[in-house]
């Protein structure tokens, strides 16, 4: 939000420069991100002076040029070649001296240099108004008042506006500070805490009066919950014209483009007081009545930007007797706006329900200055005051007569909000004992009224424009920000309580696995929990009724809560692939969201994605593509790090995988992993293979809590390895060899590994060769060859009998 230093000075007499005032604003919670200098004329006319044309002669080498001598207030006059048809001796003119930088109509700078024009020296430029940025005429040079002295700076001649503009990062809760008046109100409180009593000056409306009642436009409101207050008034015989320069400068300083005096006046008062206003062409209001209501779903309505929109049945509309005129609190209509032909206007000032306005704005993808304020909550008490303020301003700059009383629909007054504030709570939260007088002074500066005081606390009433101050803790936060966070003393000692922490705390386990995965070359990602519904058709496992939909989505891309970790991960992969990062290893801890009957469920996951090469390119090793077995190794290390063992591999049941496995322990599913289908990848424009593992985090954590911790010493005795080269049928899986080995020898067999697979012409049709290693170890003694050989014979017999294996 942009706030003008000069504009603030109209409300409060600032005693410090813009930078110091900005520091106070930041201390008060209105964080100033930057201060920019505004000049109503870019460059501030630096280097442009008043010149006196002493002589003007035709150029000897050009019919349309003239050679002038100009007194610039220096010892010697200068020669300037000028092509303007109206230049003449005796004139006072603006002259851009050598070295001056001017700006063209597009804001591009150009420097005035000493030059030769058709053989004659020119030491400057006599300027027209468009060359200086003072107007649009280029018919000839500007001719100034004859009383001006040569050498006088042009900036002193013209009414230039120089301002400092704050860029304030306004938090959503600070609806009260969405105007210059609101910011000035905070500054007054801040200066008061410093011991400076500054008066807050507000625009007077004492001159407001009704001049006639010949253009009455009554107001009827259909839904008082959506429209608690609505005011309107008419002005007749206004003259539409450009706004005066001072008003244009105020709007330009905060980034607004002036339109005409009526529109500019409504924008000015909105940024001045925080009350949005809208002007209608009264002659285009059918039936001379305003009806605030909803319309049928699908009704077509064209807004001021020329876009035809289809209305929702809950959109509050400003209508006349026949048709909608404006989308209430959001955007005006094309057919009711003020034009150059407008002479009679109806001005609206209202307080709309913030939720209603937010829904309408988001439904239609609109974000206007008016909706920005209505959505957060404005002050319902100044609705009529702002209307009077804009009427008086319009009478000043556009003429006209007030031709009706103020129509003020306000059936149920919005009352102040009561809060009881205890002294003990103040001291415990702030950490410092503030005096009763200090607390009362701060509350009074914030317009929070103290109704009664007891030994334990104060009874307060909060004005309705402070929508963020509804609880005792909110009031204490207000006291603290005005008192000053920097003024809270640091004690001599720090008290801290010891909290019990379990080794199974979620964040501890996450950090353990995150450190391991990062060590394996993975990057942690964080995806938005909101996503588009366009991907749901890619998996039949996701049922339409299980999707959690947003009631008021920010956009269609953020319309539902994610039901799968897969799609947000693929979006991240697509993003990186589009930026030439093709070798990716990523993981994310996140949640999916599901509608189960009338209830909603959140399921936590650890999601892993791998695509491209296993390692970065390096001359000392060959490049290997990531494959299923690489992913399986990563999955196994995750489970191993958590101490989860004795899990079973089962066929995968998810339809997004072209091939894969699931690991289960008992009835609990631990992880699904495998290769994503090409059809799914095509929807994300991904052409290379993607491997994905989806761990059910809560299931893994619950297993850890069930497993007792056991400690055992590291054995002193060495392990023994034996290998088999087995000739097998193609249908035999390594899992069968693994299970048979442990069924045959449970005591000293520690590990079974497959380290080579071979299929070729020499083996015969339907055959393959597995090279399998067996690791034996006894924790109490050294194994002998005789013991190990005896077990290997048993294993051979078992493989031959159960699997039809042969030793090669």
């Amino acid at each position: 939000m942009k706030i003008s230093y000069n504009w603030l000075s109209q409300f409060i007499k600032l005693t410090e420069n813009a930078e110091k005032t900005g520091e106070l604003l930041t201390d008060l919670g209105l964080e100033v991100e930057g201060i920019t200098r505004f000049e109503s004329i870019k460059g501030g006319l630096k280097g442009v002076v008043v010149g006196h044309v002493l002589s003007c002669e035709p150029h000897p080498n050009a019919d349309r040029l003239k050679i002038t001598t100009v007194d610039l207030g220096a010892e010697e006059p200068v020669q300037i070649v000028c092509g303007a048809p109206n230049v003449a001796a005796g004139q006072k003119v603006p002259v851009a001296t050598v070295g001056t930088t001017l700006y063209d109509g597009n804001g591009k700078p150009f420097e005035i240099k000493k030059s030769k024009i058709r053989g004659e020296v020119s030491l400057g430029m006599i300027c027209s108004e468009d060359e200086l940025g003072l107007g649009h005429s280029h018919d000839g040079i500007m001719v100034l008042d004859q009383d001006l002295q040569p050498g006088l700076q042009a900036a002193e001649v013209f009414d230039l506006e120089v301002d400092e503009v704050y860029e304030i990062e306004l938090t959503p809760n600070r609806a009260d500070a969405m105007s210059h008046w609101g910011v000035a109100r905070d500054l007054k409180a801040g200066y008061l805490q410093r011991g400076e009593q500054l008066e807050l000056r507000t625009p007077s409306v004492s001159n407001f009066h009704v001049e006639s009642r010949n253009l009455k436009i009554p107001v009827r409101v259909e839904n008082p919950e959506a429209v608690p207050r609505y005011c309107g008034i008419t002005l007749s015989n206004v003259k539409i014209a450009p706004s005066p320069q001072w008003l244009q400068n105020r709007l330009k300083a905060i980034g607004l483009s002036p339109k005409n005096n009526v529109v500019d006046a409504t924008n000015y008062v909105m940024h001045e007081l925080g009350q949005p206003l809208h002007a209608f062409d009264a002659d285009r209001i059918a039936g001379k009545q305003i009806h605030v209501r909803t319309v049928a779903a699908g009704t077509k309505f064209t807004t001021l930007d020329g876009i035809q929109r289809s209305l929702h049945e809950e959109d509050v509309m400003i209508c006349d007797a026949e048709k909608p005129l404006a989308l209430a609190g959001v955007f005006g209509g094309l057919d009711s706006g003020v034009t150059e032909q407008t002479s009679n206007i109806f001005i609206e000032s209202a307080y709309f329900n913030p939720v209603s306005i937010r829904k309408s704005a988001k439904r239609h993808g609109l974000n206007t200055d008016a909706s920005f304020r209505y959505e957060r909550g404005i002050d319902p008490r100044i609705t009529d005051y702002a209307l009077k303020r804009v009427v008086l301003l319009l009478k000043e700059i556009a003429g006209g007569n007030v031709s009706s009383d103020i129509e003020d629909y306000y059936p149920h007054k919005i009352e102040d909000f009561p809060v009881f504030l205890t002294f003990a709570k103040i001291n415990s939260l702030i950490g410092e004992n503030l005096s009763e007088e200090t607390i009362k002074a701060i509350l009074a500066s914030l317009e929070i009224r103290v109704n009664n005081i007891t030994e334990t606390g104060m009874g307060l009433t909060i004005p309705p424009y402070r929508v963020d101050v509804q609880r005792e803790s909110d009031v204490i936060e207000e006291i603290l920000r005005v008192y000053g966070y920097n003024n809270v003393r640091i004690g001599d000692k720090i008290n801290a309580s010891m909290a019990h922490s379990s080794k199974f705390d979620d964040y501890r386990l996450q950090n353990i696995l995150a450190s391991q995965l990062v060590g394996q070359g993975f990057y942690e990602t964080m995806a938005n929990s909101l996503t588009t519904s366009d991907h749901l058709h890619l998996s039949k496992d996701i049922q339409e009724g299980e999707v959690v939909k947003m009631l008021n989505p920010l956009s269609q891309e953020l319309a539902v809560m994610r039901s799968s970790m897969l799609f947000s991960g693929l979006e991240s992969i697509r993003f990186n692939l589009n930026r030439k990062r093709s070798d990716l290893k990523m993981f994310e801890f996140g949640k999916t969201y599901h509608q189960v009957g009338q209830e909603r469920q959140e399921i936590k996951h650890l999601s892993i994605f791998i695509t491209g090469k296993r390692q970065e390119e390096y001359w000392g090793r060959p490049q290997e593509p990531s494959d299923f077995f690489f992913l399986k190794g990563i999955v196994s290390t995750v489970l191993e790090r958590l101490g989860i063992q004795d899990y079973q591999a089962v066929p995968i049941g998810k339809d997004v995988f072209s091939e894969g496995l699931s690991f289960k322990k008992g009835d609990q599913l631990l992880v699904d992993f495998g290769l994503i289908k090409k059809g799914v990848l095509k929807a994300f424009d991904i052409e290379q293979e993607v491997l994905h593992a989806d761990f059910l985090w809560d299931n893994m954590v619950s297993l850890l809590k069930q497993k007792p911790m056991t400690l055992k010493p590291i054995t002193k005795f060495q392990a023994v390895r034996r290998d088999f080269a087995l000739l097998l049928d193609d249908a035999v899986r390594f899992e069968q060899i693994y299970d048979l080995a442990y069924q045959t020898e449970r005591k000293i067999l520690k590990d079974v590994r497959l380290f080579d697979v071979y299929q070729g012409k020499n083996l015969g049709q339907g055959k393959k060769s597995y090279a399998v290693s067996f690791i034996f170890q006894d924790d109490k003694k050294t194994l002998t060859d005789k013991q190990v050989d005896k077990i290997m014979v048993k294993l051979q017999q078992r493989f031959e009998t159960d699997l039809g294996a042969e030793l090669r």
Side-chain angles (χ1 to χ4, degrees):
M1 183 181 72
K2 295 183 183 295
I3 293 292
S4 157
Y5 178 84
N6 290 352
W7 204 339
L8 282 178
S9 300
Q10 294 178 201
F11 287 100
I12 188 169
K13 187 177 180 181
L14 297 173
T15 58
E16 296 178 311
N17 61 26
E19 185 175 350
K20 289 290 185 183
T21 304
E23 291 175 3
L24 177 57
L25 286 173
T26 298
D27 290 343
L28 289 167
L30 301 176
E31 183 181 356
V32 176
E33 293 189 320
I35 304 175
T36 57
R37 181 179 176 85
F38 168 78
E39 296 170 330
S40 57
I41 297 177
K42 194 170 184 179
L45 298 182
K46 291 178 182 178
V48 181
V49 299
V50 175
H52 183 201
V53 182
L54 301 178
S55 66
C56 180
E57 303 294 338
H59 195 293
N61 302 318
D63 294 339
R64 296 186 179 182
L65 299 179
K66 296 177 181 178
I67 299 175
T68 65
T69 54
V70 184
D71 178 10
L72 300 179
E75 293 182 2
E76 297 290 336
V78 298
Q79 178 174 292
I80 298 176
V81 177
C82 181
N86 64 328
V87 64
Q91 293 174 334
K92 298 290 178 64
V93 294
V95 178
T97 58
V98 173
T100 299
T101 299
L102 298 179
Y103 297 84
D104 64 17
N106 297 319
K108 293 182 179 180
F110 62 93
E111 184 180 345
I112 306 301
K113 299 178 180 179
K114 178 181 176 180
S115 61
K116 273 192 176 184
I117 302 177
R118 295 291 182 93
E120 295 294 332
V121 174
S122 183
L123 299 173
M125 184 174 76
I126 302 175
C127 302
S128 63
E129 66 177 38
D130 74 324
E131 290 168 335
L132 295 178
L134 293 169
H136 301 288
S137 175
H138 193 66
D139 295 336
I141 61 168
M142 291 187 73
V143 180
L144 306 177
D145 194 316
Q146 286 294 325
D147 295 334
L148 298 175
Q149 294 298 313
L152 181 67
Q153 295 293 320
E156 299 179 31
V157 177
F158 302 102
D159 185 19
L160 303 187
E161 177 85 6
V162 178
D163 199 356
E164 302 289 339
V165 181
Y166 300 109
E167 184 66 46
I168 293 179
E169 180 62 31
L170 190 68
T171 53
N173 63 308
R174 290 304 308 278
D176 62 296
M178 293 187 296
S179 65
H180 286 77
W181 185 19
V183 174
R185 191 164 46 202
D186 256 21
L187 281 174
K188 177 188 175 183
Y191 279 117
L192 183 64
Q193 180 58 27
R194 293 184 177 185
E196 298 182 48
Q197 184 78 37
L198 300 182
E199 178 187 0
L200 184 63
R201 302 184 294 264
T202 54
S204 172
V205 294
S206 59
N207 291 331
F208 173 83
H209 64 280
V210 178
E211 295 162 296
S212 68
R213 294 177 174 81
N214 56 10
L215 185 56
K216 294 183 178 180
I217 298 184
V219 173
R220 184 158 59 96
V221 177
E222 183 181 87
N223 184 356
E225 290 184 4
V227 191
R229 189 174 191 186
Y230 190 95
C231 296
I233 197 170
T234 62
L235 269 74
S236 301
N237 302 318
V238 297
K239 183 178 180 181
I240 308 301
S243 298
Q245 197 61 47
W246 69 266
L247 177 52
Q248 292 192 38
N249 288 340
R250 283 284 182 265
L251 296 179
K252 288 178 181 177
I254 59 173
L256 297 183
S257 299
K259 305 295 183 185
N260 59 56
N261 47 7
V262 172
V263 174
D264 292 350
T266 58
N267 283 333
Y268 178 86
V269 173
M270 176 174 65
H271 287 273
E272 179 185 54
L273 302 178
Q275 171 66 56
L277 302 154
H278 187 69
F280 299 87
D281 187 330
D283 294 329
R284 302 165 82 177
I285 299 177
K288 293 296 181 286
Q289 59 181 277
I290 291 293
H291 188 188
V292 186
R293 60 185 177 86
T294 56
V295 297
T299 300
K300 302 301 180 184
F301 177 68
T302 304
T303 46
L304 281 170
D305 55 3
I307 297 176
Q308 188 181 73
R309 304 177 188 276
S310 182
L311 299 177
H312 189 272
E313 66 268 17
E314 294 181 1
D315 290 334
V316 177
M317 302 299 296
I318 311 301
C319 305
D320 59 17
E322 299 174 356
K323 62 188 180 301
L325 303 176
L327 183 57
V330 182
F331 215 10
L334 186 63
D335 297 329
S336 62
V338 173
T339 66
E340 293 181 357
Q341 290 73 42
T342 299
S343 60
N344 302 315
I345 60 174
F346 173 82
I347 308 174
E348 160 197 285
S349 178
Y351 176 82
F352 296 111
N353 183 290
V355 175
S356 173
I357 298 302
R358 178 173 175 77
K359 287 183 177 181
S360 289
K362 298 307 175 186
R363 267 194 294 266
H364 298 287
L366 293 169
N367 182 21
T368 62
D369 284 341
S371 67
F372 176 81
R373 286 159 175 79
Y374 280 128
E375 287 173 13
R376 287 157 177 79
I378 61 172
D379 187 354
R381 304 177 307 174
I382 68 166
T383 310
D384 57 336
Y385 168 71
L387 195 59
K388 293 176 182 178
R389 166 64 174 149
V390 77
V391 165
L392 293 176
L393 180 58
L394 282 171
K395 284 178 62 64
E396 176 187 337
I397 65 175
N401 303 309
V402 180
S403 49
S404 75
D405 292 308
I406 293 178
E407 291 279 338
D408 190 356
Y409 173 85
Y410 197 14
H412 306 292
K413 184 179 178 181
I414 299 175
E415 301 292 343
D416 294 348
F417 190 82
V419 171
F420 188 78
L421 179 65
T422 58
F423 296 128
K425 188 74 169 178
I426 297 173
N427 298 333
S428 67
L429 287 184
I430 295 179
E432 188 167 321
N433 293 327
L434 303 185
S435 69
E436 184 178 311
E437 292 304 315
T438 298
I439 295 171
K440 288 169 59 179
I442 292 174
L443 292 174
S445 69
L446 295 171
E447 299 183 1
I448 296 175
R449 191 168 66 250
V450 179
N451 294 325
N452 56 77
I453 302 176
T454 67
E455 292 182 0
T456 58
M458 301 177 175
L460 311 174
T461 52
I462 314 297
Y465 69 83
R466 290 311 307 267
V467 294
D468 61 320
V469 182
Q470 302 290 306
R471 303 168 301 169
E472 183 182 20
S473 56
D474 297 331
V475 178
I476 296 172
E477 182 182 353
E478 290 296 292
I479 294 171
L480 180 55
R481 73 178 181 85
V482 175
Y483 178 74
Y485 291 96
N486 296 330
N487 294 326
V488 178
R489 294 187 298 272
I490 299 176
D492 297 330
K493 64 177 181 177
I494 298 177
N495 297 324
S497 57
M498 300 295 292
H500 171 70
S501 178
S502 168
K503 67 176 182 178
F504 300 116
D505 283 346
D506 197 87
Y507 77 95
R508 289 178 179 272
L509 298 175
Q510 282 188 206
N511 287 340
I512 289 171
L513 288 184
S515 297
Q516 174 171 304
L517 289 168
V518 168
Q520 292 173 314
F522 284 80
Y523 287 92
E524 184 170 8
T525 65
M526 294 180 67
N528 199 331
S529 296
L530 298 175
T531 185
T532 178
S533 58
D534 294 344
H535 304 323
L536 300 180
H537 70 281
L538 297 174
S539 173
K540 294 180 180 179
D541 295 328
I542 302 175
Q543 301 299 320
E544 178 71 21
E546 296 178 0
V547 178
V548 179
K549 299 179 180 179
M550 302 302 295
L551 294 176
N552 187 24
L554 294 172
S555 68
Q556 290 306 310
E557 286 72 30
L558 303 171
V560 299
M561 303 195 77
R562 63 179 174 184
S563 303
S564 169
M565 300 289 288
L566 173 63
F567 304 133
S568 56
L570 292 179
E571 287 176 345
S572 296
I573 290 175
R574 176 178 61 188
F575 181 89
N576 282 274
L577 290 176
N578 290 339
R579 285 151 183 81
K580 307 302 181 184
R581 292 178 58 89
S582 57
D583 301 327
L584 302 169
K585 290 190 284 187
M586 306 184 303
F587 71 95
E588 179 189 2
F589 291 98
K591 292 182 178 180
T592 57
Y593 306 85
H594 309 269
Q595 184 78 43
V596 182
Q598 298 300 314
E599 298 182 353
R600 297 188 178 98
Q601 288 184 355
E602 297 181 12
I603 301 175
K604 189 163 186 176
H605 302 254
L606 165 59
S607 182
I608 290 177
F609 290 90
I610 302 173
T611 186
K613 302 292 190 299
R614 295 190 187 187
Q615 298 95 12
E616 293 182 0
E617 190 173 10
Y618 176 60
W619 67 270
R621 60 170 178 256
Q623 288 284 84
E624 296 182 63
S626 300
D627 56 17
F628 174 79
F629 294 101
F630 178 66
L631 174 63
K632 183 180 178 184
I634 297 296
V635 170
S636 298
T637 59
V638 168
L639 297 174
E640 182 180 338
R641 184 64 184 86
L642 292 178
I644 299 176
Q645 300 173 342
D646 302 329
Y647 47 82
Q648 299 80 41
V650 297
I652 197 162
K654 297 289 182 65
D655 63 357
V656 294
F657 294 97
S658 60
E659 57 182 86
L661 285 175
S662 297
F663 285 164
K664 297 179 71 174
K665 185 159 186 176
D667 294 332
Q668 288 191 308
L669 178 64
L670 301 179
V671 58
D672 295 312
F673 64 96
L675 188 66
I676 301 301
K677 284 181 177 178
K678 290 185 177 180
V680 176
L681 299 179
K682 185 177 180 181
F684 293 85
D685 298 321
I686 299 173
E687 297 180 357
Q688 62 189 58
E689 290 186 344
V690 175
L691 298 153
H692 172 51
D694 183 19
F695 292 87
L696 294 179
W697 182 256
D698 294 329
N699 287 355
M700 294 196 298
V701 173
S702 67
L703 286 176
L704 292 180
K705 293 180 179 179
Q706 298 170 13
K707 180 181 178 181
M709 179 181 289
T710 57
L711 300 176
K712 61 180 181 180
I714 299 174
T715 181
K716 300 177 183 180
F717 305 99
Q718 67 186 37
V720 177
R721 170 174 168 160
R722 291 286 190 272
D723 296 341
F724 271 162
L726 300 173
L727 184 64
L728 302 159
D729 293 334
D730 273 343
V732 177
R733 302 191 309 274
F734 170 70
E735 181 184 5
Q736 295 171 274
I737 297 173
Y738 185 93
D739 292 341
L740 283 173
Y742 278 102
Q743 292 173 16
T744 304
E745 176 54 50
R746 298 178 180 274
K747 186 176 179 182
I748 62 173
L749 180 61
K750 299 299 183 183
D751 196 10
V752 181
R753 297 180 184 176
L754 176 65
F755 64 88
D756 189 32
V757 177
Y758 173 74
Q759 287 178 301
K761 297 179 180 178
N762 299 331
L763 298 183
Q765 187 70 23
K767 294 290 185 178
K768 62 184 176 182
S769 175
Y770 275 2
V772 184
S773 66
F774 303 88
I775 307 298
F776 302 96
Q777 189 176 41
D778 195 318
D779 296 335
K780 298 179 180 179
K781 62 183 179 181
T782 301
L783 292 173
T784 64
D785 287 340
K786 185 177 180 180
Q787 289 176 289
V788 176
D789 291 342
K790 184 177 179 181
I791 296 172
M792 293 299 292
V793 170
K794 289 182 180 179
L795 290 173
Q796 179 183 346
Q797 292 173 347
R798 190 71 183 269
F799 295 151
E800 291 173 347
T801 303
D802 291 13
L803 303 178
E806 299 177 28
L807 284 184
R808 293 186 64 198

